[in-house]
Amino acid sequence: MFNKVLIANRGEIAVRVIRACRDLGIRTAAVYSEADRDALHVRLADEAFCIGPPAARDSYLHIPNIIATAELLGADAIHPGYGFLAENPHFAEICQDCKITFIGPPPEAIHKMGNKAAARQMMRKAGIPVVPGSPGPVRDEAAALAVARTTGYPLLIKAAAGGGGRGMRVVQSPADLRGAFAAAGQEAAAAFGSAELYIEKYLTEPRHIEVQILADGRGNVVAIGERDCSIQRRHQKLLEESPAVGLSPRLRRALLRAAVRAATVVGYVNAGTVEFLVEGTNHLYFIEMNTRIQVEHPVTEMVTNIDLVKEQIKIAAGERLSLPREIEAHGHAIECRINAEDPARDFLPSPGQITAFIPPGGPGIRVETHAFTGYTIPPYYDSLIAKVIAWGRDRDEAIARMRRALGEFDIGGIQTTIPFHLQVLDNAFFRKGEVYVNFVQRRIDLGPAGRPRSA
Ligand code: ADP
């Protein structure tokens, strides 16, 4: 097992990784930017080292500083968390070259899944259904129009290097496509450093269902159940749950099987998530694989009792997976992402000082956070300040506990997404389990200025 793990991240995920290390008896080294001197991960780690100025490119994305710190502090492994360097094959390779274990998949697997157009092609060859669309990347407007003739409209132009719900454009007609293609390419180049685009049919009311997998590099690839992440705003997840409500056992089995196959095809090792869109009761389509731990991993942990971050570390240390092939879900779990954003003002970021912070508790409630009373949220990073996870014996109990928890959660000084979540939890369609990726747009009345109605 490792002696010391450096956590190349910040926020709640850095805290989460520190806790997993401590449970395993491993020492921890935090890194932080000048904007994070007072951060909780800095306080909780055994050691902490400042790696640069606030801008992420000068600190949390600065590979030489991170590697030098790992060497200086004698860390034998690096956990990248999610975001920042987590899906950077180059970083994983440098770790390897420096004889520091990267707690994640091999660089080749990150690389293969990193280009979404290429991944799509690879999955199709492996017999996994993908959304109808271009076989691979689409070179120019003429090629896009040709694809559209078979796919039809509406269609979606996606950036091959895209992520985080960005780099997507819905196109309604050939006239739209002409302007949109060039603009999407420019946007993708600016945002992701690659102008490569591909096309998918735009599904009107799919669900986003993803499968958590663990692979130990010794031929054991296990699907740890599914999560429904259909409650999104602008293609970004806000509320996730496990298991996916109303899924037939047959479709569930097909999803798990497809996920294991996807991971096997790319020689995957460690924890990963295979994402699908599901249409109706029968159709599943691969959309991408995230080659890291996900924000929403706790819902899977709550229903399976598996500590996924601990498993990541054990796999990276060369341990064999010791899990049953069939993992059963117990009860139901829901996660609400609490962002420092004002839902009444179109989810405008609301950084600043948290003047009061009283997290909820009680049966079935888990809170993952790096925030505390007096903490100032820096404006440089993402706006996630806490995740509330509610577990219940069934979905109704999980919903009731989540409503209780969010009602208790007192966060002063900033605006948060709590009122938005309460509105979703109270929605009759959500309660019936009727969810799809455009649920928020269709069912949640955010009011003229994006204001949620009072519950
Ligand atoms: P990212 O990597 O940016 O997260 P994904 O490909 O995973 O992008 O898609 C994110 C979300 O965008 C999905 O959960 C879904 O809501 C929406 N989406 C993606 N592809 C399609 C599609 N073909 N049709 C309809 N919605 C889609």
Side-chain angles (χ1 to χ4, degrees):
M1 188 38 82
F2 305 117
N3 180 42
K4 189 188 287 182
V5 170
L6 180 138
I7 297 111
N9 214 302
R10 65 179 302 280
E12 67 85 22
I13 194 64
V15 171
R16 171 74 187 86
V17 175
I18 291 170
R19 290 182 173 141
C21 289
R22 199 146 285 154
D23 285 351
L24 287 166
I26 302 170
R27 288 182 61 76
T28 52
V31 293
Y32 62 96
S33 76
E34 286 163 11
D36 274 340
R37 287 190 189 285
D38 302 321
L40 190 61
H41 75 284
V42 174
R43 293 197 205 178
L44 291 184
D46 296 311
E47 292 166 84
F49 204 86
C50 183
I51 48 164
R57 66 172 180 280
D58 299 324
S59 50
Y60 298 106
L61 288 172
H62 198 286
I63 296 176
N65 287 4
I66 291 171
I67 296 286
T69 306
E71 289 187 328
L72 183 77
L73 301 179
D76 38 12
I78 294 182
H79 195 302
Y82 53 68
F84 296 126
L85 297 169
E87 289 176 293
N88 181 329
H90 179 58
F91 179 61
E93 210 169 75
I94 291 175
C95 289
Q96 223 169 41
D97 292 346
C98 296
K99 309 267 179 291
I100 299 168
T101 304
F102 176 78
I103 303 178
E108 302 75 38
I110 304 178
H111 181 73
K112 281 183 184 157
M113 287 300 188
N115 182 315
K116 291 164 64 174
R120 212 175 117 77
Q121 222 165 357
M122 208 168 18
M123 294 302 116
R124 212 167 60 118
K125 280 202 191 112
I128 299 167
V130 298
V131 186
S134 60
V138 178
R139 202 164 306 135
D140 52 29
E141 203 178 271
L145 285 162
V147 172
R149 276 194 284 277
T150 52
T151 308
Y153 295 88
L155 58 79
L156 197 56
I157 304 178
K158 296 173 94 169
R166 295 175 308 130
M168 273 180 263
R169 239 167 215 256
V170 184
V171 172
Q172 301 288 352
S173 67
D176 272 4
L177 185 55
R178 284 179 221 281
F181 194 82
Q186 279 162 14
E187 262 172 37
F192 311 110
S194 154
E196 196 172 302
L197 301 172
Y198 65 108
I199 287 175
E200 281 180 2
K201 184 180 171 58
Y202 181 68
L203 307 177
T204 49
E205 222 152 70
R207 291 170 71 178
H208 174 119
I209 301 182
E210 59 186 34
V211 177
Q212 175 72 55
I213 66 105
L214 284 175
D216 65 4
R218 298 157 179 253
N220 300 306
V221 183
V222 182
I224 320 285
E226 84 285 3
R227 297 184 282 259
D228 186 310
C229 310
S230 299
I231 304 296
Q232 309 178 345
R233 183 180 162 271
R234 299 198 177 148
H235 308 307
Q236 289 177 18
K237 300 164 188 170
L238 284 167
L239 178 152
E240 305 93 352
E241 54 185 316
S242 184
V245 58
L247 200 62
S248 75
R250 208 170 62 91
L251 184 53
R252 182 169 193 269
R253 268 198 308 275
L255 282 162
L256 301 193
R257 251 203 316 268
V260 168
R261 174 120 184 91
T264 308
V265 165
V266 293
Y268 202 81
V269 185
N270 215 287
T273 297
V274 187
E275 298 192 334
F276 299 92
L277 292 181
V278 169
E279 222 181 15
T281 49
N282 263 323
H283 299 288
L284 66 92
Y285 305 104
F286 167 91
I287 47 170
E288 67 165 340
M289 180 169 190
N290 288 320
T291 54
R292 54 168 162 85
I293 193 79
Q294 306 264 104
V295 176
E296 59 273 21
H297 76 274
V299 291
T300 302
E301 296 187 323
M302 299 304 279
V303 296
T304 60
N305 258 322
I306 295 169
D307 182 326
L308 291 169
V309 180
K310 246 162 92 169
E311 292 298 330
Q312 282 195 293
I313 298 169
K314 292 198 306 191
I315 290 169
E319 285 189 22
R320 183 183 293 274
L321 267 181
S322 57
L323 299 169
R325 284 227 159 252
E326 294 284 321
I327 312 257
E328 254 187 81
H330 296 282
H332 197 95
I334 300 177
E335 172 182 277
C336 289
R337 300 191 188 194
I338 313 301
N339 295 334
E341 291 170 0
D342 187 354
R345 292 170 67 198
D346 205 23
F347 292 77
L348 190 73
S350 178
Q353 192 179 37
I354 299 178
T355 52
F357 193 81
I358 307 173
I365 297 299
R366 166 175 168 190
V367 180
E368 294 287 334
T369 184
H370 59 292
F372 48 86
T373 302
Y375 174 66
T376 299
I377 303 162
Y380 310 101
Y381 314 109
D382 75 8
S383 57
L384 183 73
I385 50 164
K387 306 188 302 202
V388 178
I389 304 103
W391 181 90
R393 278 164 301 180
D394 54 29
R395 190 169 184 263
D396 287 344
E397 190 176 51
I399 291 175
R401 284 176 165 172
M402 183 62 90
R403 291 179 77 235
R404 153 173 59 88
L406 296 186
E408 274 177 24
F409 206 165
D410 185 5
I411 306 178
I414 56 156
Q415 301 299 320
T416 75
T417 46
I418 289 176
F420 164 84
H421 284 297
L422 285 170
Q423 206 183 347
V424 172
L425 295 166
D426 281 342
N427 182 280
F429 294 96
F430 175 79
R431 288 179 160 249
K432 275 194 293 190
E434 238 192 78
V435 293
Y436 26 82
V437 298
N438 50 345
F439 178 90
V440 173
Q441 211 179 323
R442 220 181 121 183
R443 300 289 186 199
I444 301 296
D445 176 9
L446 294 169
R451 178 189 305 280
R453 284 164 311 174
S454 49

